């Protein structure tokens, strides 16, 4: 995998986790790893057709967060 692709994947993961953090804070929900996972899973199942990079970013973010749940 090229270095550029690795940076793109890292950016996608950070964007998804960052977006989930903002969503949890905006909802004034309990701030916990499981809350972040729940937000990401809701996004995966919301009926929108996200591009492949975003879908992959969500999946990788969920896998990383599950290690801390």
């Amino acid at each position: 995998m090229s270095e550029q692709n690795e940076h793109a994947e890292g950016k996608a993961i950070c964007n998804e986790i960052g977006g989930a953090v903002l969503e949890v804070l905006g909802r004034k929900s309990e701030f916990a790893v499981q809350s972040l996972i729940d937000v990401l899973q809701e996004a995966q199942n919301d009926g929108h057709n996200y591009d492949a990079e975003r879908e992959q970013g969500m999946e990788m973010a969920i896998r990383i967060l599950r290690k801390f749940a």
Side-chain angles (χ1 to χ4, degrees), residues 7-8 11 18 21-22 24-25 31 41 44 47-48 51 54 69:
H7 290 297
K11 184 177 177 182
V21 167
L22 293 174
V24 168
L25 293 175
F31 189 79
Q41 288 177 331
Q44 284 183 314
H48 285 88
D51 63 21
R54 177 118 193 245

Side-chain angles (χ1 to χ4, degrees), residues 29-49:
S29 301
E30 176 187 356
F31 189 79
V33 173
Q34 187 59 51
S35 299
L36 301 175
I37 294 169
D38 292 344
V39 166
L40 289 167
Q41 288 177 331
E42 287 172 20
Q44 284 183 314
N45 299 314
D46 67 1
H48 285 88
N49 291 320

Side-chain angles (χ1 to χ4, degrees), residues 1-12 53 56 60:
M1 180 176 295
S2 74
E3 187 174 327
Q4 185 176 9
N5 285 343
E6 289 177 23
H7 290 297
E9 285 181 0
K11 184 177 177 182
E53 182 179 319
Q56 186 177 16
M60 289 188 295

